[in-house]
Amino acid sequence: MGEIVAEVRGLVAAGVKEVVLLGQIVDRYGTDVGDGPDLADLLRVVNDVDGLERIRFLTSHPNYMTDRILRAVADLPKVMPQIEVPIQAGDNDVLEAMKRGYTREQYRDLIHRVREVIPDAAIHCDIIVGFPGETAAQFQATYDILAELRLDKLHLARYSPRPGTVSARRMADDVSDEEKRRRFHLIESLQKEVSTEKMRRYLGQTVEVLVEDRDKGRWRGRTPHNKLVFFDDARDLRGQLVPVQVTHTGPWSMSGKTADHRPAAVESIPLTIAL
């Protein structure tokens, strides 16, 4: 933990405003060393680094997302209210074939717990459609739980064999590409509807944006909930935290106008570093 915190301090000294604690199953951090510090402890120590503005972590596994971690997100002002916790599929037989180690019911309970501890959490999820053997009814179970839970963002993929994996060696890739695409577009359409509704609540509000860069002549940045925001301003605002009043929302981003009148930044600085 000391090495991570030392690296964060060095990055902040170089001007970095946000760090991402990155791991394959990041919420297992520390569980391999017995009674040592866990991810909640790490978040608390990194939160105390002077000059750091934002902390995120990804990607988590449902089986290791503890109340200690959720309470750390809720309590620590620099830890952003964003949780990445994939379900991958919404049918228990498919989850078992994937060796995920949890059921749809357990995942549903976790999402309810996240929202209980962090009421305004933005929850992101991974989904694979067309896993070997996935029937139409099993896909429908995935669609139904996503429609029920209404998560903020989906990372959506069609299954394809990866050399060396159990599924590639032992399971027939028996869902046609046409059917995979059909299922993909059905969930994509559902998520567009959910995202449109969730983004609409920001209309007229002022949100804090960490400005990343220019995109087609407009500034681009992200809110604490990792919502993408575009706005116009003549100043050099790269790497700055800027209040933006939202004037338009869509399913995947929103746009607005700056709500402050600070002087222009003197120089650009590094923005986000993943550790």
Side-chain angles (χ1 to χ4, degrees), residues 18-83:
E18 175 180 297
V19 295
V20 182
L21 305 176
L22 180 65
Q24 180 69 17
I25 302 180
V26 71
D27 47 352
R28 284 190 64 184
Y29 175 81
T31 60
D32 58 336
V33 291
D35 295 328
D38 63 6
L39 180 61
D41 296 316
L42 179 60
L43 290 171
R44 293 185 184 281
V45 174
V46 175
N47 185 80
D48 289 338
V49 174
D50 290 337
L52 184 64
E53 298 285 354
R54 291 183 175 184
I55 305 165
R56 302 185 193 272
F57 62 94
L58 60 98
T59 292
S60 303
H61 189 287
N63 287 354
Y64 303 98
M65 181 57 67
T66 66
D67 277 4
R68 274 178 53 80
I69 296 173
L70 295 179
R71 283 195 295 268
V73 176
D75 294 343
L76 301 174
K78 295 179 185 177
V79 180
M80 298 295 97
Q82 174 199 346
I83 301 291

Side-chain angles (χ1 to χ4, degrees), residues 199 202 207-213 215 218-224 226-232 242-248 252-258:
M199 295 289 270
Y202 291 99
V207 295
E208 183 185 68
V209 175
L210 179 54
V211 184
E212 297 175 351
D213 211 340
D215 186 297
R218 310 189 76 195
W219 287 112
R220 180 193 67 226
R222 295 184 184 272
T223 71
N226 210 18
K227 308 296 187 185
L228 190 60
V229 181
F230 296 91
F231 65 94
D232 296 308
V242 178
V244 175
Q245 183 180 14
V246 178
T247 58
H248 172 79
W252 317 124
S253 67
M254 47 192 166
S255 58
K257 57 184 180 181
T258 49

Side-chain angles (χ1 to χ4, degrees), residues 159 162-172:
Y159 172 81
R162 179 174 296 178
T165 61
V166 172
S167 64
R169 295 197 311 269
R170 302 180 185 176
M171 301 177 185

